[in-house]
Amino acid sequence: MLKPAAFLDRDGVINKDKEYFLQVGVFKEANNADRLSDKLRNIDYINYKVFTITSNIKDSVLYIVKIGPINNNENIKYVQRKLKKDEINTKIIIE
Protein backbone atom coordinates (compact mmCIF):
# COMPACT_ATOMS: atom_id res chain seq x y z
CA MET A 1 0.00 0.00 0.00
CA LEU A 2 1.29 3.46 -0.87
CA LYS A 3 1.70 6.01 1.85
CA PRO A 4 -0.83 8.88 1.75
CA ALA A 5 1.97 11.43 1.33
CA ALA A 6 2.59 10.02 -2.16
CA PHE A 7 -0.71 11.54 -3.25
CA LEU A 8 0.06 15.11 -2.22
CA ASP A 9 1.36 18.18 -3.98
CA ARG A 10 4.18 20.31 -2.52
CA ASP A 11 1.83 22.07 -0.10
CA GLY A 12 0.48 18.84 1.36
CA VAL A 13 -2.85 19.20 -0.45
CA ILE A 14 -4.38 16.24 -2.21
CA ASN A 15 -4.78 16.63 -5.98
CA LYS A 16 -8.11 18.41 -6.43
CA ASP A 17 -8.83 16.60 -9.70
CA LYS A 18 -9.16 13.31 -7.82
CA GLU A 19 -11.21 12.09 -4.88
CA TYR A 20 -9.65 10.07 -2.08
CA PHE A 21 -11.45 7.47 0.01
CA LEU A 22 -10.60 4.93 2.66
CA GLN A 23 -11.77 1.49 1.65
CA VAL A 24 -12.65 -0.32 4.85
CA GLY A 25 -14.02 -3.65 3.72
CA VAL A 26 -15.12 -5.86 0.84
CA PHE A 27 -17.83 -8.44 1.46
CA LYS A 28 -19.76 -11.10 -0.41
CA GLU A 29 -22.76 -10.62 1.89
CA ALA A 30 -24.63 -7.30 2.04
CA ASN A 31 -25.48 -7.75 5.74
CA ASN A 32 -21.75 -7.86 6.63
CA ALA A 33 -21.18 -4.59 4.77
CA ASP A 34 -24.22 -3.08 6.52
CA ARG A 35 -22.90 -4.10 9.95
CA LEU A 36 -19.51 -2.53 9.30
CA SER A 37 -21.10 0.64 7.89
CA ASP A 38 -23.30 0.96 10.98
CA LYS A 39 -20.29 0.47 13.26
CA LEU A 40 -18.30 3.14 11.40
CA ARG A 41 -21.18 5.64 11.48
CA ASN A 42 -21.17 5.37 15.28
CA ILE A 43 -17.46 6.19 15.66
CA ASP A 44 -17.16 9.79 16.80
CA TYR A 45 -13.89 10.64 15.01
CA ILE A 46 -15.29 9.76 11.57
CA ASN A 47 -16.74 13.00 10.23
CA TYR A 48 -17.09 11.77 6.67
CA LYS A 49 -19.70 9.91 4.68
CA VAL A 50 -19.70 6.13 5.18
CA PHE A 51 -21.23 4.28 2.25
CA THR A 52 -21.38 0.97 0.42
CA ILE A 53 -21.05 0.44 -3.31
CA THR A 54 -21.48 -2.75 -5.26
CA SER A 55 -19.12 -4.25 -7.80
CA ASN A 56 -19.97 -7.12 -10.13
CA ILE A 57 -17.10 -9.56 -10.48
CA LYS A 58 -17.80 -12.49 -12.79
CA ASP A 59 -21.07 -13.98 -11.51
CA SER A 60 -21.01 -12.48 -8.03
CA VAL A 61 -21.60 -9.14 -6.34
CA LEU A 62 -19.13 -7.60 -3.89
CA TYR A 63 -20.16 -4.97 -1.34
CA ILE A 64 -17.42 -2.39 -0.76
CA VAL A 65 -17.51 -0.14 2.31
CA LYS A 66 -15.81 3.25 1.94
CA ILE A 67 -15.31 6.46 3.89
CA GLY A 68 -14.96 9.80 2.14
CA PRO A 69 -14.14 11.67 0.17
CA ILE A 70 -11.34 12.88 2.46
CA ASN A 71 -9.65 15.90 0.97
CA ASN A 72 -6.47 16.46 2.92
CA ASN A 73 -3.46 14.42 3.93
CA GLU A 74 -3.67 15.19 7.64
CA ASN A 75 -7.29 14.07 7.84
CA ILE A 76 -6.84 10.90 5.82
CA LYS A 77 -3.83 9.84 7.92
CA TYR A 78 -5.66 10.70 11.16
CA VAL A 79 -8.71 8.59 10.31
CA GLN A 80 -6.56 5.74 8.99
CA ARG A 81 -4.42 5.76 12.15
CA LYS A 82 -7.44 5.86 14.49
CA LEU A 83 -9.12 2.99 12.64
CA LYS A 84 -5.94 0.94 12.82
CA LYS A 85 -5.91 1.43 16.61
CA ASP A 86 -9.47 0.07 16.58
CA GLU A 87 -8.14 -2.92 14.58
CA ILE A 88 -9.83 -1.83 11.34
CA ASN A 89 -7.47 -1.89 8.37
CA THR A 90 -7.99 0.50 5.49
CA LYS A 91 -6.69 1.14 2.01
CA ILE A 92 -6.53 4.50 0.24
CA ILE A 93 -8.53 4.55 -3.00
CA ILE A 94 -8.15 7.29 -5.63
CA GLU A 95 -11.00 7.90 -8.04
Side-chain angles (χ1 to χ4, degrees):
M1 181 166 72
L2 295 174
K3 294 181 180 180
F7 307 135
L8 305 179
D9 67 14
R10 289 184 17 223
D11 299 321
V13 176
I14 292 178
N15 181 336
K16 292 182 170 101
D17 296 333
K18 304 284 184 179
E19 289 188 311
Y20 297 78
F21 301 87
L22 288 176
Q23 180 175 300
V24 188
V26 179
F27 302 94
K28 291 182 179 180
E29 303 287 331
N31 62 337
N32 292 334
D34 291 342
R35 273 197 301 264
L36 178 58
S37 293
D38 290 343
K39 177 180 178 177
L40 293 169
R41 286 185 189 103
N42 289 313
I43 296 175
D44 62 349
Y45 58 81
I46 297 179
N47 298 318
Y48 300 94
K49 182 179 177 184
V50 175
F51 61 99
T52 302
I53 61 168
T54 58
S55 179
N56 295 310
I57 306 292
K58 296 185 182 180
D59 291 333
S60 63
V61 176
L62 295 177
Y63 300 89
I64 303 167
V65 179
K66 293 184 180 182
I67 301 170
I70 301 176
N71 60 0
N72 88 29
N73 184 46
E74 192 173 304
N75 292 348
I76 205 165
K77 287 196 296 188
Y78 172 79
V79 174
Q80 195 171 41
R81 192 171 46 249
K82 293 286 281 183
L83 287 169
K84 187 172 185 174
K85 283 184 180 180
D86 289 340
E87 300 181 359
I88 299 172
N89 292 321
T90 62
K91 181 179 186 180
I92 295 173
I93 303 295
I94 305 168
E95 296 179 353

